[in-house]
Structure formats: C-alpha cells, structure tokens
Amino acid sequence: MALRKISHVSEADHRIVTDAVADAERGTDGEIVTIIAAQSDGYDDVALVWASVGAFVAMSLVALFPACYQGLYQTLTGGWGAEPTANQWLGIVLAFGALKWIGIWIILLWRPLRLALTPHAIKAGRARARAIDLFKVGTEAKTVGRTGVVLYVSLKEHRADIVADEAIAAKVAPEVWGEAMAALIERIRAGQPGEGMAEAVRQMGVVLAEHFPKSDNNPNELCDRLIEI
C-alpha cells in the first residue's frame, strides 16, 4: 500500500522556508529546525470527558425530574406498560446514560468538533508538549555547541512555539522570540504560512547572530528544509 504524502503547505512555501533557514544560518552558529503539523494531538481524552459529562448530566436530569421521565416512559409504552420497580427504573436510567455516552462519543468522532470543544489552555499545552517532544528527538544535543532551535507550528490549534537547546536557552530569554512569533502569527492569519515561518526564521537568525555569530569551522549540522508531520 502506497504511503500518503503529508502536505500541509505548498512546494513554494517549502522553498521559502528552507531558503530562509539557509540565509539565517549564514550569520550564526545556531541551527534552526522548522516543523509544521496539522494537529498536535487527537484529544481522545477530551472526547471521553465530554461523553462522561453528558451521560452524568442526562442521568442527573432523570433523578431530578423523575415524574417527567416516568411520563415519557408511559407514553413510549403506550400506557400499557407496568410501572417499573425501583431496580428496573435504575436499570433504565443506567441504560439511558450509557446510550447518551455512546451517542456523544460517536458525534465527537468528528475531529473538528472535538477540537472546537477542547479548551484553549489544553490545546496550547498539547502543542507545547509536542514541540518539546520533537525538539528532544531531533534537535536537543544534536549540535556540537548545543545551539539547535526548533520553530514548531500546529495549524489546527493555531499555535506556534520555539524550543531552544541548552546554550541558546542560557543566553536568550523566551520573551526575546516575541517579535518572531508575532510576525509568524500575523502572516498565518493572512493565509501565508510559508511567509510567516520564513519571517520568523529571519528574526530568529538576527537574535542568534547576536549571541552566536558565525565561526570559521562550524558545519551545517541540522537539516534546513521544512519538515511536515
């Protein structure tokens, strides 16, 4: 079976970002890695929580307004059904809650809705965690001077992050990357993800050149091309 090619941005965007990385690294020993993802997490746990909350609320309403639901039961049975015992009624309520749970879970299989119902703070945290994981796998301690830095963009969460290696983090405070992030977000909102990442890379290059100017014997240790996952 052929593997499906991941393509979140155009070939032109790839060239723009890759060229920006190469240009930025000409003035610094820093190594910039760019990564773009459609989404940072599946949020299966969020769907479980919503389904559980929905089921609990449904069963609570039955407990709070039993006469209403007992009347509905009589209507559904045509008024000929025997009055359920307490144990039978408990079973009906539990079955109602289980059906409600299953229904909500099925609805939340539609990922756009699941993402929309995920709190902003959770999405931000998952995107940050994903950026750190990718940094640890492909960038951390992968350069001689520990001067690697990852620019990570998660499109569906509308989140971006910069994670830097030990030597950079010791000299550059996180807020210093603010202008780069602002430039990136502005252009992504305008539908120009490639331009946004390229401008962020340019500004990151300026910061890196200030603290880690290019030395004579520094090789290109990390890939310049934009990585899609």
Side-chain angles (χ1 to χ4, degrees):
M1 182 176 65
L3 294 176
R4 183 176 61 87
K5 182 181 178 182
I6 298 174
S7 182
H8 308 313
V9 294
S10 68
E11 290 298 326
D13 286 328
H14 272 272
R15 289 192 296 272
I16 290 169
V17 176
T18 301
D19 289 346
V21 172
D23 289 342
E25 290 182 355
R26 288 192 181 98
T28 176
D29 283 351
E31 295 281 344
I32 302 172
V33 176
T34 54
I35 304 174
I36 189 167
Q39 192 168 313
S40 294
D41 191 79
Y43 302 102
D44 293 337
D45 56 330
V46 174
L48 289 172
V49 169
W50 277 112
S52 300
V53 168
F56 176 78
V57 169
M59 290 188 293
S60 297
L61 288 174
V62 175
L64 289 171
F65 306 104
C68 176
Y69 286 92
Q70 286 171 350
L72 179 61
Y73 173 79
Q74 291 298 329
T75 299
L76 292 174
T77 58
W80 294 93
E83 186 71 25
T85 65
N87 286 337
Q88 289 174 331
W89 186 246
L90 176 60
I92 292 171
V93 171
L94 291 175
F96 178 63
L99 289 173
K100 180 67 73 172
W101 192 98
I102 293 170
I104 294 173
W105 171 253
I106 291 173
I107 291 170
L108 289 178
L109 289 175
W110 188 44
R111 290 187 180 274
L113 178 59
R114 185 188 302 188
L115 188 65
L117 291 176
T118 301
H120 178 78
I122 292 177
K123 289 188 282 190
R126 299 288 170 86
R128 174 66 179 175
R130 183 64 168 151
I132 292 172
D133 287 344
L134 292 169
F135 164 77
K136 288 181 176 180
V137 170
T139 305
E140 186 177 30
K142 296 295 191 295
T143 59
V144 173
R146 297 210 169 185
T147 55
V149 57
V150 166
L151 171 63
Y152 173 73
V153 174
S154 189
L155 294 171
K156 291 184 179 178
E157 282 93 349
H158 301 160
R159 296 292 304 180
D161 227 317
I162 294 175
V163 186
D165 212 339
E166 181 181 329
I168 297 175
K171 291 187 177 182
V172 182
E175 56 268 21
V176 173
W177 306 115
E179 291 186 9
M181 297 299 289
L184 183 149
I185 292 169
E186 179 183 355
R187 284 169 173 78
I188 287 183
R189 284 176 176 167
Q192 300 173 319
E195 289 288 351
M197 294 189 75
E199 182 57 33
V201 166
R202 294 183 193 107
Q203 297 197 29
M204 290 167 66
V206 172
V207 174
L208 291 171
E210 178 184 348
H211 295 282
F212 303 92
K214 190 72 172 180
S215 60
D216 294 333
N217 59 347
N218 182 262
N220 188 11
E221 299 172 275
L222 298 176
C223 177
D224 291 348
R225 69 177 178 83
L226 173 62
I227 299 169
E228 293 191 73
I229 58 173

